[in-house]
């Protein structure tokens, strides 16, 4: 047996086909494929491989080269032309609804002006830990790990941030240890300024969901958001009309405080898919404030988000 085959035989039971080893003049050179492994698993496997190789008689030096196939994790941006339209609420609940459909998904709160995901996801005040220089997302009760700009931006300072700074900070969140997540839902800051543009250009989401209220589209705020993505060459997955129709909690009568159908009409005019509407409901606000996102429950609101997630799921494909 050659020396290389001896060392390969030692590594095979540990590395499950991920290691290719060569031994020459006392030096073991090992290629380790770490595609799809979390940071922690990768470090553990590398340490085991090193120890096993070093224990082979005749090995004086061990070199490990980590290789990985191109990262396939995709980002979905959730954006809006202005604040207060329910962008964060939609991002959180869509992430949960996609998770319930079997997608491995993480949530990134990039909203430097009002990071609200920790509250929405029931983990307010929980600080993410870091291993070496890599952040570890916070586990939430809903199976969707979360990282928020809230932890990086001192309160009240966001306004002074410029595009490149925010883009750089976002990089820390996107490149965190997301384990086997295949998707990241990105809750962008509201608006269409250079902070948003830099974030989009730098992190190239696979597609964008635009959230608007019926009257917001009439006021073309959302149209500006659509332009922003067009500028960066990012496809628009579709528009969601939020706060569409108000169901009176007492009599059940549905009225339309912000009009209705504005987003659908605008989507048609712009040639962009319309994904659906979410009613303005006390239950949605109450559940959101309590850190118990409606999409995680079994009520009619969960059904609304499940249907939106189904469309998103189809867009994402296999
Ligand atoms: P944005 O991220 O666009 O600033 P938020 O998601 O923070 O907006 O929502 C703003 C407020 O509106 C929150 O209090 C939220 O609970 C509430 N809200 C969002 N969508 C709905 C809805 N469909 N029905 C009732 N309240 C909603």
């Amino acid at each position: 047996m050659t020396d290389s085959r001896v060392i390969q035989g030692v590594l095979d039971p540990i590395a499950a086909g991920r290691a290719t080893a060569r031994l020459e003049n006392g030096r073991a050179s090992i290629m380790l494929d770490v595609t799809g492994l979390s940071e922690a698993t990768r470090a553990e496997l590398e340490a085991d491989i090193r120890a096993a190789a070093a224990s082979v008689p005749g090995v004086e030096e061990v070199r490990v080269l980590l290789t990985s196939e191109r990262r396939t994790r995709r980002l979905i941006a959730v954006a809006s032309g202005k604040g207060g339209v329910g962008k964060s609420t939609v991002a959180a609940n869509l992430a949960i609804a996609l998770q319930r459909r079997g997608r491995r998904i993480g949530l990134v709160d990039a909203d430097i002006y009002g990071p609200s995901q920790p509250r929405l996801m029931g983990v307010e005040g929980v600080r993410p830990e870091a291993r070496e220089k890599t952040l570890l997302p916070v586990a939430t009760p809903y199976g969707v790990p979360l990282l928020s700009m809230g932890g990086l931006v001192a309160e009240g300072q966001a306004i002074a941030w410029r595009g490149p700074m925010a883009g750089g900070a976002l990089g820390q969140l996107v490149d965190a240890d997301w384990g086997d997540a295949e998707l990241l839902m990105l809750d962008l800051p509201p608006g269409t300024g250079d902070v948003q543009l830099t974030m989009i250009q730098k992190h190239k989401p696979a597609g964008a969901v635009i959230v608007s209220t019926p009257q917001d589209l009439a006021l073309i705020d959302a149209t500006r958001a659509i332009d922003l993505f067009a500028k960066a060459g990012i496809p628009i997955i579709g528009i969601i009309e939020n706060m569409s129709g108000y169901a009176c909690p007492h009599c059940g009568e549905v009225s339309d405080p912000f009009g209705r159908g504005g987003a659908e009409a605008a989507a048609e005019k712009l040639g962009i898919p319309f994904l659906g509407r979410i009613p303005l409901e006390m239950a949605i606000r109450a559940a959101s404030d309590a850190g118990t996102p409606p999409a995680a429950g079994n009520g009619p609101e969960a059904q609304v988000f499940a249907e939106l997630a189904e469309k998103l799921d189809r867009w994402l494909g296999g």
Side-chain angles (χ1 to χ4, degrees):
M1 231 194 281
T2 68
D3 290 347
S4 292
R5 280 180 59 190
V6 171
I7 193 164
Q8 187 71 51
V10 170
L11 299 185
D12 278 345
I14 307 167
R18 287 177 179 271
T20 314
R22 230 179 32 188
L23 181 54
E24 257 172 21
N25 305 325
R27 177 200 283 174
S29 308
I30 302 161
M31 292 239 290
L32 184 59
D33 178 4
V34 294
T35 304
L37 299 183
S38 73
E39 200 80 33
T41 312
R42 176 191 304 183
E44 208 170 288
L45 181 61
E46 187 188 343
D48 289 350
I49 292 282
R50 277 186 185 281
S55 73
V56 173
V59 171
E60 286 151 22
E61 188 190 346
V62 178
R63 289 192 174 183
V64 179
L65 179 67
L66 301 184
T67 67
S68 181
E69 280 169 27
R70 205 171 61 84
R71 194 185 61 165
T72 54
R73 189 171 295 142
R74 289 184 290 174
L75 262 73
I76 306 166
V78 181
S80 63
K82 61 172 189 176
V85 302
K87 171 184 54 62
S88 301
T89 306
V90 172
N93 284 282
L94 277 184
I96 290 169
L98 280 167
Q99 194 274 342
R100 290 182 81 170
R101 292 184 66 81
R103 292 280 186 177
R104 294 185 306 278
I105 185 165
L107 181 58
V108 178
D109 184 359
D111 189 343
I112 48 174
Y113 306 114
S116 53
Q117 293 299 351
R119 180 176 47 83
L120 286 168
M121 299 293 283
V123 289
E124 201 167 19
V126 182
R127 305 279 298 186
E129 288 174 28
R131 190 183 296 113
E132 313 235 305
K133 283 188 174 131
T134 307
L135 285 169
L136 300 177
V138 171
T140 69
Y142 312 108
V144 177
L146 167 71
L147 277 176
S148 173
M149 282 287 202
L152 301 176
V153 187
E155 214 170 313
Q157 283 192 354
I159 229 72
W161 277 43
R162 308 203 69 80
M165 268 173 84
L170 180 59
Q172 286 187 46
L173 306 190
V174 170
D175 295 332
D177 184 358
W178 290 100
D180 65 355
E182 46 165 336
L183 295 171
L184 292 183
M185 187 72 82
L186 183 61
D187 181 6
L188 281 176
T192 51
D194 90 302
V195 167
Q196 291 82 352
L197 185 62
T198 309
M199 284 182 169
I200 294 165
Q201 283 172 335
K202 204 160 171 180
H203 299 285
K204 284 273 169 205
V209 172
I210 310 290
V211 180
S212 95
T213 57
Q215 98 278 25
D216 166 36
L217 257 167
L219 296 172
I220 70 160
D221 283 320
T223 328
R224 287 213 192 90
I226 290 163
D227 285 345
L228 183 76
F229 288 96
K231 215 184 279 179
I234 308 296
I236 304 286
I237 303 171
I239 296 181
I240 293 175
E241 183 174 275
N242 188 32
M243 307 194 194
S244 151
Y246 174 69
C248 171
H250 306 295
C251 69
E253 190 196 342
V254 177
S255 51
D256 296 302
F258 297 120
R260 185 189 163 91
E264 188 162 15
E268 194 176 336
K269 210 167 85 198
L270 296 163
I272 286 169
F274 181 70
L275 298 176
R277 46 175 61 93
I278 303 165
L280 176 69
E281 261 186 45
M282 204 87 97
I284 294 181
R285 197 200 49 76
S288 301
D289 283 352
T292 55
N298 294 307
E301 300 82 26
Q303 188 54 33
V304 171
F305 288 108
E307 281 165 23
L308 291 169
E310 190 188 340
K311 290 187 181 153
L312 218 58
D313 207 25
R314 214 177 304 143
W315 188 91
L316 289 161

